[in-house]
Amino acid sequence: MTTTSPSPASSDDRPTAIANWFLIFGFFASYFVARVFVRDESLPALVRFVLCFFPAIMGGVVIHRIVAFVRSLVDELERRIQSEAFAFAFPAGLLFSMALGFVDHSGLLHIDPWDYWFFHIPLYFVGLILARRRYK
Amino acid sequence: MKNRVPELRTAKGWSQGELAERLGVSRQTINAIETEKYDPSLPLALKIGRLFAQPVEKIFTLES
């Protein structure tokens, strides 16, 4: 049992926050690098193959940091809220991707499947708003 | 789950913020417990019981 300060995160220090922002930036950078170079036929096939997985590896590190953040939260209600936000965002993201796939398949609007993942980010914030409202 | 946290807190003359500080949680957590929107974890319930010097079952009761 922890009886420390009621602040939401126990490891809320500036170096960690800066490192997290660098990781997020690194993830987006790796995504755009991969997106530009995977179709570059002047590169060896092995390099292009590795590039395909590069953003996923960077994303894995970001996921590790997110899980560590939620586990580090001292306040148990905040931990519940964050967990509920992610629990909402994951299936909602799948359903939204499915709907976008249908829209693309219907020919009514072309949405590049490359961009589907990006729509998952606002869904986390929707989940966060809903969870906060529930416990307000 | 019903609870007597507001009653016990008021008897001590503490605000929600003061109780939150003593328990190491946020004021939002205390408010959610008092309004019965959130049931505390067992460790937190035990801490509440210890703080008010009462058994947990005298503070928290299951609704029949």
Side-chain angles (χ1 to χ4, degrees):
Chain A
M1 276 192 279
T2 309
T3 54
T4 52
S5 82
S7 64
S10 61
S11 60
D12 190 22
D13 55 335
R14 187 173 280 267
T16 306
I18 292 169
N20 286 343
W21 280 112
F22 266 105
L23 271 175
I24 291 167
F25 175 78
F27 167 70
F28 280 101
S30 69
Y31 172 77
F32 286 109
V33 165
R35 189 165 174 163
V36 168
F37 289 106
V38 289
R39 286 184 176 170
D40 186 346
E41 293 181 1
S42 66
L43 291 172
L46 181 64
V47 172
R48 291 167 63 196
F49 186 76
V50 170
L51 272 175
C52 290
F53 292 92
F54 188 48
I57 293 165
M58 287 296 293
V61 178
V62 173
I63 289 170
H64 175 263
R65 292 303 309 158
I66 290 170
V67 172
F69 164 72
V70 173
R71 290 171 68 98
S72 75
L73 291 169
V74 172
D75 186 55
E76 62 179 55
L77 180 59
E78 186 60 28
R79 210 159 45 222
R80 167 79 68 93
I81 287 169
Q82 291 291 335
S83 300
E84 286 190 14
F86 285 112
F88 170 84
F90 177 64
L94 290 178
L95 292 173
F96 199 61
S97 297
M98 184 184 72
L100 289 176
F102 275 121
V103 170
D104 189 48
H105 193 65
S106 71
L108 294 169
L109 194 67
H110 176 65
I111 303 161
D112 194 335
W114 285 78
D115 299 324
Y116 285 8
W117 68 273
F118 190 75
F119 293 102
H120 293 224
I121 297 169
L123 288 172
Y124 157 72
F125 290 102
V126 171
L128 200 59
I129 290 166
L130 292 173
R132 287 208 191 286
R133 189 177 289 176
R134 181 172 301 129
Y135 296 109
K136 202 171 178 181
Chain B
M1 194 159 67
K2 293 207 160 296
N3 71 76
R4 294 172 51 231
V5 173
E7 171 197 329
L8 296 167
R9 176 179 61 77
T10 312
K12 292 269 189 188
W14 296 336
S15 66
Q16 285 187 343
E18 282 176 281
L19 178 58
E21 200 169 327
R22 286 167 193 272
L23 293 168
V25 296
S26 67
R27 196 195 63 78
Q28 184 188 15
T29 301
I30 299 301
N31 185 56
I33 291 169
E34 290 193 355
T35 53
E36 294 169 5
K37 288 177 180 170
Y38 174 69
D39 295 331
S41 66
L42 182 59
L44 182 56
L46 290 169
K47 281 168 75 177
I48 292 169
R50 191 168 59 188
L51 189 65
F52 291 120
Q54 296 216 14
V56 173
E57 62 270 26
K58 289 263 174 78
I59 301 173
F60 298 95
T61 48
L62 283 170
E63 288 172 285
S64 54

